[in-house]
Every structure is written in C-alpha cells, then in structure tokens.
Short mmCIF file of all heavy atoms in Angstrom, two decimals:
data_model
loop_
_atom_site.label_atom_id
_atom_site.label_comp_id
_atom_site.label_asym_id
_atom_site.label_seq_id
_atom_site.Cartn_x
_atom_site.Cartn_y
_atom_site.Cartn_z
N MET A 1 4.66 -2.27 -15.02
CA MET A 1 4.64 -2.40 -13.59
C MET A 1 6.01 -2.99 -13.07
O MET A 1 6.45 -3.92 -13.68
CB MET A 1 3.55 -3.40 -13.21
CG MET A 1 2.12 -2.81 -13.40
SD MET A 1 1.69 -1.63 -12.16
CE MET A 1 1.09 -2.71 -10.86
N HIS A 2 6.48 -2.36 -12.04
CA HIS A 2 7.78 -2.83 -11.49
C HIS A 2 7.53 -3.81 -10.33
O HIS A 2 6.54 -3.82 -9.72
CB HIS A 2 8.61 -1.64 -11.03
CG HIS A 2 9.02 -0.74 -12.14
ND1 HIS A 2 9.70 -1.14 -13.22
CD2 HIS A 2 8.80 0.57 -12.32
CE1 HIS A 2 9.93 -0.14 -14.05
NE2 HIS A 2 9.34 0.95 -13.52
N CYS A 3 8.56 -4.61 -10.12
CA CYS A 3 8.50 -5.61 -9.03
C CYS A 3 8.46 -4.86 -7.67
O CYS A 3 9.24 -4.02 -7.43
CB CYS A 3 9.70 -6.51 -9.11
SG CYS A 3 9.88 -7.57 -7.64
N TYR A 4 7.50 -5.29 -6.85
CA TYR A 4 7.30 -4.66 -5.56
C TYR A 4 8.49 -4.92 -4.64
O TYR A 4 9.04 -3.99 -4.00
CB TYR A 4 6.04 -5.16 -4.88
CG TYR A 4 5.84 -4.67 -3.50
CD1 TYR A 4 5.33 -3.34 -3.29
CD2 TYR A 4 6.14 -5.41 -2.38
CE1 TYR A 4 5.11 -2.88 -1.99
CE2 TYR A 4 5.94 -4.95 -1.10
CZ TYR A 4 5.45 -3.63 -0.91
OH TYR A 4 5.29 -3.20 0.36
N ASP A 5 8.97 -6.14 -4.65
CA ASP A 5 10.08 -6.48 -3.74
C ASP A 5 11.36 -5.77 -4.14
O ASP A 5 12.21 -5.39 -3.28
CB ASP A 5 10.33 -8.00 -3.73
CG ASP A 5 9.22 -8.68 -2.85
OD1 ASP A 5 8.84 -8.16 -1.82
OD2 ASP A 5 8.80 -9.77 -3.30
N CYS A 6 11.59 -5.66 -5.47
CA CYS A 6 12.77 -4.90 -5.95
C CYS A 6 12.65 -3.45 -5.57
O CYS A 6 13.64 -2.83 -5.15
CB CYS A 6 12.91 -5.11 -7.46
SG CYS A 6 13.53 -6.71 -7.96
N ALA A 7 11.48 -2.89 -5.69
CA ALA A 7 11.26 -1.52 -5.32
C ALA A 7 11.53 -1.29 -3.86
O ALA A 7 12.07 -0.21 -3.46
CB ALA A 7 9.81 -1.08 -5.67
N GLN A 8 11.06 -2.26 -3.00
CA GLN A 8 11.39 -2.17 -1.58
C GLN A 8 12.88 -2.14 -1.31
O GLN A 8 13.32 -1.51 -0.37
CB GLN A 8 10.74 -3.32 -0.81
CG GLN A 8 9.22 -3.30 -0.82
CD GLN A 8 8.70 -2.26 0.08
OE1 GLN A 8 9.35 -1.68 0.90
NE2 GLN A 8 7.41 -1.92 -0.06
N ALA A 9 13.64 -2.81 -2.16
CA ALA A 9 15.08 -2.87 -1.97
C ALA A 9 15.75 -1.73 -2.67
O ALA A 9 17.02 -1.66 -2.72
CB ALA A 9 15.61 -4.23 -2.56
N GLY A 10 14.99 -0.80 -3.22
CA GLY A 10 15.60 0.38 -3.81
C GLY A 10 15.86 0.27 -5.28
O GLY A 10 16.46 1.16 -5.88
N ARG A 11 15.48 -0.89 -5.87
CA ARG A 11 15.68 -1.06 -7.28
C ARG A 11 14.35 -0.82 -8.04
O ARG A 11 13.35 -1.45 -7.67
CB ARG A 11 16.17 -2.47 -7.59
CG ARG A 11 17.52 -2.72 -6.98
CD ARG A 11 18.03 -4.08 -7.51
NE ARG A 11 18.12 -4.08 -8.95
CZ ARG A 11 18.42 -5.17 -9.67
NH1 ARG A 11 18.68 -6.31 -9.08
NH2 ARG A 11 18.46 -5.13 -10.97
N HIS A 12 14.41 0.07 -8.99
CA HIS A 12 13.17 0.37 -9.74
C HIS A 12 13.30 0.06 -11.23
O HIS A 12 12.56 0.54 -12.03
CB HIS A 12 12.78 1.85 -9.51
CG HIS A 12 12.52 2.19 -8.11
ND1 HIS A 12 11.30 2.08 -7.52
CD2 HIS A 12 13.31 2.57 -7.10
CE1 HIS A 12 11.33 2.41 -6.24
NE2 HIS A 12 12.59 2.74 -5.98
N ASP A 13 14.25 -0.80 -11.53
CA ASP A 13 14.52 -1.11 -12.92
C ASP A 13 14.00 -2.47 -13.38
O ASP A 13 14.15 -2.81 -14.51
CB ASP A 13 15.99 -0.93 -13.26
CG ASP A 13 16.88 -1.85 -12.39
OD1 ASP A 13 16.42 -2.21 -11.27
OD2 ASP A 13 17.98 -2.19 -12.81
N ARG A 14 13.46 -3.25 -12.38
CA ARG A 14 13.07 -4.58 -12.73
C ARG A 14 11.56 -4.57 -13.01
O ARG A 14 10.75 -4.14 -12.18
CB ARG A 14 13.37 -5.53 -11.60
CG ARG A 14 14.83 -5.76 -11.34
CD ARG A 14 15.51 -6.46 -12.47
NE ARG A 14 14.95 -7.78 -12.82
CZ ARG A 14 15.26 -8.94 -12.31
NH1 ARG A 14 16.16 -8.94 -11.31
NH2 ARG A 14 14.72 -10.00 -12.67
N ASP A 15 11.25 -5.09 -14.20
CA ASP A 15 9.80 -5.23 -14.55
C ASP A 15 9.30 -6.48 -13.90
O ASP A 15 9.94 -7.53 -13.88
CB ASP A 15 9.63 -5.34 -16.06
CG ASP A 15 9.68 -3.93 -16.73
OD1 ASP A 15 9.30 -2.98 -16.01
OD2 ASP A 15 10.10 -3.86 -17.84
N GLY A 16 8.07 -6.41 -13.46
CA GLY A 16 7.38 -7.61 -12.90
C GLY A 16 6.94 -8.47 -14.04
O GLY A 16 6.64 -8.00 -15.13
N ILE A 17 6.91 -9.80 -13.82
CA ILE A 17 6.42 -10.67 -14.86
C ILE A 17 4.94 -10.96 -14.70
O ILE A 17 4.30 -11.50 -15.58
CB ILE A 17 7.20 -12.02 -14.84
CG1 ILE A 17 7.05 -12.78 -13.51
CG2 ILE A 17 8.67 -11.82 -15.17
CD1 ILE A 17 7.57 -14.22 -13.57
N GLY A 18 4.38 -10.57 -13.49
CA GLY A 18 2.98 -10.84 -13.31
C GLY A 18 2.59 -10.44 -11.88
O GLY A 18 3.42 -10.09 -11.08
N ALA A 19 1.29 -10.58 -11.64
CA ALA A 19 0.79 -10.27 -10.31
C ALA A 19 0.62 -11.54 -9.52
O ALA A 19 0.09 -12.54 -10.01
CB ALA A 19 -0.54 -9.55 -10.42
N CYS A 20 1.01 -11.48 -8.26
CA CYS A 20 0.82 -12.61 -7.36
C CYS A 20 -0.65 -12.91 -7.19
O CYS A 20 -1.47 -11.97 -7.02
CB CYS A 20 1.43 -12.27 -5.97
SG CYS A 20 1.06 -13.52 -4.74
N THR A 21 -1.02 -14.20 -7.32
CA THR A 21 -2.46 -14.50 -7.26
C THR A 21 -3.03 -14.39 -5.86
O THR A 21 -4.23 -14.37 -5.64
CB THR A 21 -2.73 -15.90 -7.82
OG1 THR A 21 -1.83 -16.84 -7.11
CG2 THR A 21 -2.50 -15.98 -9.30
N ARG A 22 -2.12 -14.28 -4.87
CA ARG A 22 -2.57 -14.16 -3.49
C ARG A 22 -2.68 -12.74 -2.97
O ARG A 22 -3.70 -12.29 -2.54
CB ARG A 22 -1.66 -15.01 -2.52
CG ARG A 22 -2.17 -15.10 -1.08
CD ARG A 22 -1.43 -16.15 -0.34
NE ARG A 22 -1.68 -17.49 -0.81
CZ ARG A 22 -2.74 -18.22 -0.45
NH1 ARG A 22 -3.62 -17.74 0.40
NH2 ARG A 22 -2.91 -19.44 -0.90
N CYS A 23 -1.61 -12.00 -3.16
CA CYS A 23 -1.56 -10.63 -2.62
C CYS A 23 -1.83 -9.58 -3.71
O CYS A 23 -2.12 -8.44 -3.44
CB CYS A 23 -0.30 -10.37 -1.88
SG CYS A 23 1.15 -10.24 -2.88
N GLY A 24 -1.66 -9.96 -4.99
CA GLY A 24 -1.92 -9.06 -6.07
C GLY A 24 -0.78 -8.12 -6.42
O GLY A 24 -0.91 -7.34 -7.37
N LEU A 25 0.31 -8.17 -5.69
CA LEU A 25 1.46 -7.33 -6.01
C LEU A 25 2.23 -7.87 -7.15
O LEU A 25 2.28 -9.06 -7.38
CB LEU A 25 2.37 -7.24 -4.74
CG LEU A 25 1.79 -6.48 -3.56
CD1 LEU A 25 2.76 -6.56 -2.36
CD2 LEU A 25 1.53 -5.02 -3.93
N PHE A 26 2.89 -6.96 -7.90
CA PHE A 26 3.70 -7.38 -9.03
C PHE A 26 5.05 -7.89 -8.53
O PHE A 26 5.55 -7.40 -7.54
CB PHE A 26 3.89 -6.21 -9.98
CG PHE A 26 3.14 -6.40 -11.27
CD1 PHE A 26 1.76 -6.46 -11.20
CD2 PHE A 26 3.77 -6.50 -12.50
CE1 PHE A 26 1.01 -6.64 -12.36
CE2 PHE A 26 3.02 -6.69 -13.66
CZ PHE A 26 1.64 -6.76 -13.59
N ALA A 27 5.52 -8.95 -9.18
CA ALA A 27 6.83 -9.54 -8.79
C ALA A 27 7.60 -9.88 -10.07
O ALA A 27 7.01 -10.26 -11.05
CB ALA A 27 6.61 -10.72 -7.90
N CYS A 28 8.93 -9.80 -9.97
CA CYS A 28 9.76 -10.20 -11.06
C CYS A 28 10.05 -11.70 -10.97
O CYS A 28 9.67 -12.39 -10.01
CB CYS A 28 11.07 -9.40 -11.00
SG CYS A 28 12.16 -9.83 -9.67
N ALA A 29 10.82 -12.23 -11.91
CA ALA A 29 11.09 -13.65 -11.96
C ALA A 29 11.89 -14.12 -10.75
O ALA A 29 11.73 -15.23 -10.25
CB ALA A 29 11.81 -14.01 -13.24
N ASP A 30 12.76 -13.22 -10.24
CA ASP A 30 13.54 -13.56 -9.05
C ASP A 30 12.75 -13.59 -7.78
O ASP A 30 13.07 -14.26 -6.84
CB ASP A 30 14.72 -12.56 -8.88
CG ASP A 30 15.75 -12.70 -10.00
OD1 ASP A 30 15.79 -13.77 -10.64
OD2 ASP A 30 16.50 -11.74 -10.19
N HIS A 31 11.65 -12.80 -7.76
CA HIS A 31 10.88 -12.68 -6.52
C HIS A 31 9.54 -13.44 -6.61
O HIS A 31 8.64 -13.18 -5.78
CB HIS A 31 10.64 -11.24 -6.18
CG HIS A 31 11.87 -10.53 -5.68
ND1 HIS A 31 12.42 -9.45 -6.29
CD2 HIS A 31 12.61 -10.80 -4.58
CE1 HIS A 31 13.53 -9.06 -5.56
NE2 HIS A 31 13.64 -9.86 -4.55
N SER A 32 9.42 -14.35 -7.54
CA SER A 32 8.13 -15.05 -7.64
C SER A 32 8.40 -16.45 -8.08
O SER A 32 9.44 -16.83 -8.54
CB SER A 32 7.20 -14.36 -8.63
OG SER A 32 7.79 -14.41 -9.93
N ARG A 33 7.36 -17.27 -7.94
CA ARG A 33 7.39 -18.65 -8.41
C ARG A 33 6.09 -18.93 -9.15
O ARG A 33 5.05 -18.50 -8.78
CB ARG A 33 7.45 -19.62 -7.21
CG ARG A 33 8.78 -19.69 -6.47
CD ARG A 33 9.83 -20.42 -7.24
NE ARG A 33 11.13 -20.37 -6.55
CZ ARG A 33 12.01 -19.42 -6.77
NH1 ARG A 33 11.75 -18.37 -7.52
NH2 ARG A 33 13.20 -19.43 -6.14
N VAL A 34 6.31 -19.61 -10.29
CA VAL A 34 5.11 -20.10 -10.98
C VAL A 34 4.90 -21.58 -10.55
O VAL A 34 5.79 -22.39 -10.71
CB VAL A 34 5.31 -20.03 -12.51
CG1 VAL A 34 4.09 -20.65 -13.23
CG2 VAL A 34 5.52 -18.59 -12.95
N VAL A 35 3.78 -21.81 -9.94
CA VAL A 35 3.51 -23.14 -9.41
C VAL A 35 2.34 -23.75 -10.17
O VAL A 35 1.44 -23.03 -10.64
CB VAL A 35 3.23 -23.14 -7.88
CG1 VAL A 35 4.46 -22.65 -7.13
CG2 VAL A 35 2.04 -22.24 -7.59
N ARG A 36 2.40 -25.09 -10.28
CA ARG A 36 1.30 -25.81 -10.95
C ARG A 36 0.14 -25.96 -9.97
O ARG A 36 0.35 -26.15 -8.81
CB ARG A 36 1.78 -27.17 -11.41
CG ARG A 36 2.71 -27.05 -12.61
CD ARG A 36 3.20 -28.42 -13.01
NE ARG A 36 4.09 -28.29 -14.21
CZ ARG A 36 3.64 -28.39 -15.45
NH1 ARG A 36 2.31 -28.64 -15.65
NH2 ARG A 36 4.40 -28.24 -16.46
N THR A 37 -1.01 -25.90 -10.52
CA THR A 37 -2.19 -26.05 -9.70
C THR A 37 -3.21 -26.78 -10.48
O THR A 37 -3.25 -26.76 -11.75
CB THR A 37 -2.69 -24.68 -9.20
OG1 THR A 37 -3.80 -24.87 -8.33
CG2 THR A 37 -3.14 -23.80 -10.39
N THR A 38 -4.10 -27.48 -9.80
CA THR A 38 -5.18 -28.25 -10.48
C THR A 38 -6.37 -27.34 -10.64
O THR A 38 -6.57 -26.41 -9.87
CB THR A 38 -5.53 -29.54 -9.75
OG1 THR A 38 -5.85 -29.14 -8.40
CG2 THR A 38 -4.36 -30.49 -9.72
N VAL A 39 -7.19 -27.68 -11.62
CA VAL A 39 -8.36 -26.91 -11.89
C VAL A 39 -9.62 -27.79 -11.60
O VAL A 39 -9.68 -28.95 -12.08
CB VAL A 39 -8.46 -26.46 -13.34
CG1 VAL A 39 -9.73 -25.68 -13.63
CG2 VAL A 39 -7.26 -25.58 -13.65
N GLN A 40 -10.51 -27.31 -10.78
CA GLN A 40 -11.74 -28.04 -10.47
C GLN A 40 -12.83 -27.58 -11.43
O GLN A 40 -13.12 -26.41 -11.54
CB GLN A 40 -12.18 -27.77 -9.05
CG GLN A 40 -11.19 -28.25 -8.01
CD GLN A 40 -11.24 -29.73 -7.78
OE1 GLN A 40 -12.32 -30.35 -7.92
NE2 GLN A 40 -10.07 -30.33 -7.39
N ARG A 41 -13.37 -28.58 -12.14
CA ARG A 41 -14.49 -28.26 -13.08
C ARG A 41 -15.73 -29.02 -12.68
O ARG A 41 -15.68 -30.25 -12.61
CB ARG A 41 -14.15 -28.65 -14.51
CG ARG A 41 -13.01 -27.81 -15.11
CD ARG A 41 -12.75 -28.29 -16.48
NE ARG A 41 -12.52 -29.75 -16.58
CZ ARG A 41 -12.67 -30.49 -17.67
NH1 ARG A 41 -13.07 -29.95 -18.71
NH2 ARG A 41 -12.36 -31.77 -17.64
N PRO A 42 -16.75 -28.34 -12.32
CA PRO A 42 -17.98 -29.11 -11.96
C PRO A 42 -18.62 -29.68 -13.19
O PRO A 42 -18.96 -29.02 -14.14
CB PRO A 42 -18.85 -27.99 -11.30
CG PRO A 42 -18.38 -26.74 -11.85
CD PRO A 42 -16.95 -26.89 -12.18
N ILE A 43 -18.80 -31.03 -13.14
CA ILE A 43 -19.53 -31.74 -14.17
C ILE A 43 -20.83 -32.08 -13.57
O ILE A 43 -20.97 -33.04 -12.78
CB ILE A 43 -18.79 -32.99 -14.63
CG1 ILE A 43 -17.33 -32.67 -15.02
CG2 ILE A 43 -19.57 -33.66 -15.80
CD1 ILE A 43 -17.21 -31.78 -16.26
N GLY A 44 -21.88 -31.30 -13.90
CA GLY A 44 -23.15 -31.47 -13.17
C GLY A 44 -22.92 -31.01 -11.74
O GLY A 44 -22.53 -29.87 -11.48
N VAL A 45 -23.11 -31.91 -10.79
CA VAL A 45 -22.89 -31.56 -9.36
C VAL A 45 -21.60 -32.20 -8.90
O VAL A 45 -21.22 -31.98 -7.76
CB VAL A 45 -24.08 -32.01 -8.51
CG1 VAL A 45 -25.31 -31.23 -8.88
CG2 VAL A 45 -24.34 -33.48 -8.63
N ILE A 46 -20.91 -32.95 -9.73
CA ILE A 46 -19.70 -33.65 -9.30
C ILE A 46 -18.50 -32.83 -9.66
O ILE A 46 -18.28 -32.51 -10.83
CB ILE A 46 -19.62 -35.06 -9.96
CG1 ILE A 46 -20.90 -35.83 -9.70
CG2 ILE A 46 -18.36 -35.81 -9.49
CD1 ILE A 46 -21.05 -37.06 -10.58
N PRO A 47 -17.69 -32.42 -8.71
CA PRO A 47 -16.49 -31.68 -9.01
C PRO A 47 -15.44 -32.62 -9.65
O PRO A 47 -15.11 -33.67 -9.12
CB PRO A 47 -16.00 -31.14 -7.69
CG PRO A 47 -16.58 -32.02 -6.67
CD PRO A 47 -17.87 -32.58 -7.25
N MET A 48 -14.96 -32.23 -10.84
CA MET A 48 -13.94 -33.00 -11.52
C MET A 48 -12.61 -32.24 -11.57
O MET A 48 -12.63 -31.00 -11.74
CB MET A 48 -14.38 -33.30 -12.98
CG MET A 48 -15.54 -34.22 -13.08
SD MET A 48 -15.09 -35.96 -12.80
CE MET A 48 -14.03 -36.26 -14.25
N THR A 49 -11.50 -32.95 -11.36
CA THR A 49 -10.20 -32.27 -11.48
C THR A 49 -9.73 -32.44 -12.93
O THR A 49 -9.72 -33.53 -13.44
CB THR A 49 -9.23 -32.91 -10.54
OG1 THR A 49 -9.71 -32.82 -9.19
CG2 THR A 49 -7.87 -32.24 -10.61
N SER A 50 -9.42 -31.33 -13.52
CA SER A 50 -8.93 -31.35 -14.93
C SER A 50 -7.66 -32.18 -15.03
O SER A 50 -6.82 -32.25 -14.13
CB SER A 50 -8.63 -29.92 -15.34
OG SER A 50 -8.01 -29.92 -16.59
N ALA A 51 -7.48 -32.87 -16.18
CA ALA A 51 -6.35 -33.71 -16.41
C ALA A 51 -5.08 -32.93 -16.61
O ALA A 51 -3.98 -33.38 -16.43
CB ALA A 51 -6.60 -34.65 -17.56
N LEU A 52 -5.26 -31.66 -17.08
CA LEU A 52 -4.11 -30.83 -17.31
C LEU A 52 -3.93 -29.81 -16.20
O LEU A 52 -4.94 -29.25 -15.71
CB LEU A 52 -4.30 -30.10 -18.66
CG LEU A 52 -4.38 -30.95 -19.91
CD1 LEU A 52 -4.73 -30.07 -21.08
CD2 LEU A 52 -3.03 -31.65 -20.15
N PRO A 53 -2.71 -29.63 -15.77
CA PRO A 53 -2.49 -28.65 -14.71
C PRO A 53 -2.58 -27.22 -15.20
O PRO A 53 -2.27 -26.98 -16.32
CB PRO A 53 -1.08 -28.98 -14.20
CG PRO A 53 -0.38 -29.59 -15.36
CD PRO A 53 -1.47 -30.28 -16.17
N SER A 54 -3.02 -26.38 -14.35
CA SER A 54 -2.98 -24.95 -14.63
C SER A 54 -1.75 -24.33 -13.93
O SER A 54 -0.89 -25.07 -13.45
CB SER A 54 -4.28 -24.26 -14.14
OG SER A 54 -4.22 -22.89 -14.39
N ARG A 55 -1.62 -23.11 -13.89
CA ARG A 55 -0.49 -22.49 -13.22
C ARG A 55 -0.94 -21.19 -12.60
O ARG A 55 -1.95 -20.61 -12.97
CB ARG A 55 0.63 -22.18 -14.19
CG ARG A 55 0.33 -21.16 -15.24
CD ARG A 55 1.41 -21.04 -16.26
NE ARG A 55 0.95 -20.16 -17.31
CZ ARG A 55 1.57 -20.06 -18.52
NH1 ARG A 55 2.69 -20.72 -18.71
NH2 ARG A 55 1.09 -19.25 -19.41
N ARG A 56 -0.17 -20.73 -11.57
CA ARG A 56 -0.44 -19.49 -10.95
C ARG A 56 0.87 -18.91 -10.45
O ARG A 56 1.79 -19.66 -10.22
CB ARG A 56 -1.45 -19.62 -9.82
CG ARG A 56 -0.94 -20.43 -8.60
CD ARG A 56 -2.08 -20.71 -7.66
NE ARG A 56 -1.62 -21.45 -6.51
CZ ARG A 56 -1.16 -20.93 -5.40
NH1 ARG A 56 -1.22 -19.60 -5.25
NH2 ARG A 56 -0.72 -21.63 -4.39
N LEU A 57 0.90 -17.65 -10.39
CA LEU A 57 2.10 -16.93 -9.96
C LEU A 57 1.94 -16.53 -8.44
O LEU A 57 0.92 -16.05 -8.04
CB LEU A 57 2.32 -15.63 -10.75
CG LEU A 57 3.60 -14.88 -10.53
CD1 LEU A 57 4.73 -15.52 -11.39
CD2 LEU A 57 3.43 -13.47 -10.86
N VAL A 58 2.92 -16.87 -7.68
CA VAL A 58 2.91 -16.42 -6.26
C VAL A 58 4.28 -15.74 -5.96
O VAL A 58 5.30 -16.19 -6.45
CB VAL A 58 2.71 -17.59 -5.26
CG1 VAL A 58 1.30 -18.00 -5.19
CG2 VAL A 58 3.67 -18.71 -5.55
N CYS A 59 4.20 -14.67 -5.22
CA CYS A 59 5.47 -13.95 -4.86
C CYS A 59 6.19 -14.74 -3.80
O CYS A 59 5.59 -15.59 -3.18
CB CYS A 59 5.15 -12.52 -4.45
SG CYS A 59 4.38 -12.37 -2.80
N GLY A 60 7.41 -14.35 -3.56
CA GLY A 60 8.18 -15.02 -2.55
C GLY A 60 7.60 -14.99 -1.15
O GLY A 60 7.66 -15.97 -0.44
N THR A 61 7.07 -13.87 -0.81
CA THR A 61 6.50 -13.74 0.53
C THR A 61 5.31 -14.65 0.68
O THR A 61 5.17 -15.35 1.74
CB THR A 61 6.03 -12.28 0.74
OG1 THR A 61 7.18 -11.39 0.63
CG2 THR A 61 5.42 -12.09 2.09
N CYS A 62 4.45 -14.68 -0.28
CA CYS A 62 3.24 -15.54 -0.15
C CYS A 62 3.61 -17.01 -0.26
O CYS A 62 3.04 -17.86 0.40
CB CYS A 62 2.25 -15.20 -1.25
SG CYS A 62 1.48 -13.59 -1.00
N ARG A 63 4.59 -17.31 -1.08
CA ARG A 63 5.11 -18.72 -1.17
C ARG A 63 5.68 -19.21 0.15
O ARG A 63 5.41 -20.29 0.58
CB ARG A 63 6.19 -18.80 -2.29
CG ARG A 63 6.64 -20.18 -2.60
CD ARG A 63 5.55 -20.93 -3.29
NE ARG A 63 5.96 -22.30 -3.61
CZ ARG A 63 5.14 -23.34 -3.57
NH1 ARG A 63 3.86 -23.14 -3.24
NH2 ARG A 63 5.56 -24.54 -3.87
N THR A 64 6.41 -18.32 0.82
CA THR A 64 6.96 -18.66 2.13
C THR A 64 5.83 -18.88 3.10
O THR A 64 5.82 -19.83 3.95
CB THR A 64 7.85 -17.54 2.60
OG1 THR A 64 8.93 -17.37 1.65
CG2 THR A 64 8.49 -17.92 3.98
N ALA A 65 4.80 -18.00 3.08
CA ALA A 65 3.69 -18.10 4.00
C ALA A 65 2.89 -19.39 3.74
O ALA A 65 2.48 -20.06 4.70
CB ALA A 65 2.80 -16.91 3.83
N GLU A 66 2.74 -19.78 2.48
CA GLU A 66 2.02 -20.99 2.16
C GLU A 66 2.73 -22.21 2.64
O GLU A 66 2.12 -23.22 2.98
CB GLU A 66 1.79 -21.09 0.64
CG GLU A 66 0.78 -20.10 0.11
CD GLU A 66 0.60 -20.24 -1.43
OE1 GLU A 66 1.34 -20.96 -2.04
OE2 GLU A 66 -0.22 -19.48 -1.95
N ALA A 67 4.07 -22.19 2.64
CA ALA A 67 4.86 -23.36 2.99
C ALA A 67 5.11 -23.42 4.52
O ALA A 67 5.57 -24.44 5.00
CB ALA A 67 6.19 -23.31 2.24
N ALA A 68 4.82 -22.32 5.25
CA ALA A 68 5.13 -22.22 6.66
C ALA A 68 4.18 -23.13 7.45
O ALA A 68 3.00 -23.27 7.05
CB ALA A 68 5.07 -20.82 7.16
ZN1 ZN B 1 12.01 -8.44 -7.86
ZN1 ZN B 2 2.05 -12.41 -2.90
#
C-alpha cells in the first residue's frame, strides 16, 4: 500500500507504514505520527487505565484536525 498523501502529490514510490486509525488511509512515516494513547480496561464495572501506554497511527491531516 502506498502513502495516500504522497500519491496526491504525484509520488507513487513511497510505501505507507500503516493505516491512520481515524480515516483509515495509508500514510508514510513523513505523513503520519505515531502517538501514545492510554488503554481503558474494564475491571468489573470500573474502567481502569492501563499502566502501559498503547500507540496509534494518525495521518498528518487527522493530526492537524485533532489539534485544531
Ligand atoms: Zn507520504
Ligand atoms: Zn487520517
């Protein structure tokens, strides 16, 4: 899978490193960010936040939208 943003710019040689967890499009390392995120685990009925962070990939467009 090639990076969507690179393809939009006319470049079709960059492989995506993963799919954006928000929009689902593939993005390369230059057009995406891996951000840390917490994981909620329900212990019985009480939501617990995991002590270890998880991660997710977001593309530049979604990252900008999240920060706006
Ligand atoms: Zn790219
Ligand atoms: Zn996205």
Side-chain angles (χ1 to χ4, degrees):
M1 290 286 277
H2 295 303
C3 169
Y4 176 79
D5 286 321
C6 285
Q8 291 289 344
R11 297 189 56 186
H12 298 272
D13 57 336
R14 294 295 304 271
D15 279 331
I17 60 169
C20 172
T21 52
R22 187 167 292 278
C23 69
L25 291 174
F26 253 62
C28 70
D30 288 342
H31 285 121
S32 64
R33 288 283 176 274
V34 176
V35 296
R36 286 176 179 270
T37 184
T38 56
V39 179
Q40 298 282 328
R41 294 181 305 160
I43 307 295
V45 293
I46 305 165
M48 292 283 292
T49 301
S50 173
L52 296 172
S54 181
R55 66 186 171 193
R56 66 191 180 92
L57 187 85
V58 284
C59 72
T61 300
C62 292
R63 187 71 181 144
T64 302
E66 287 178 357

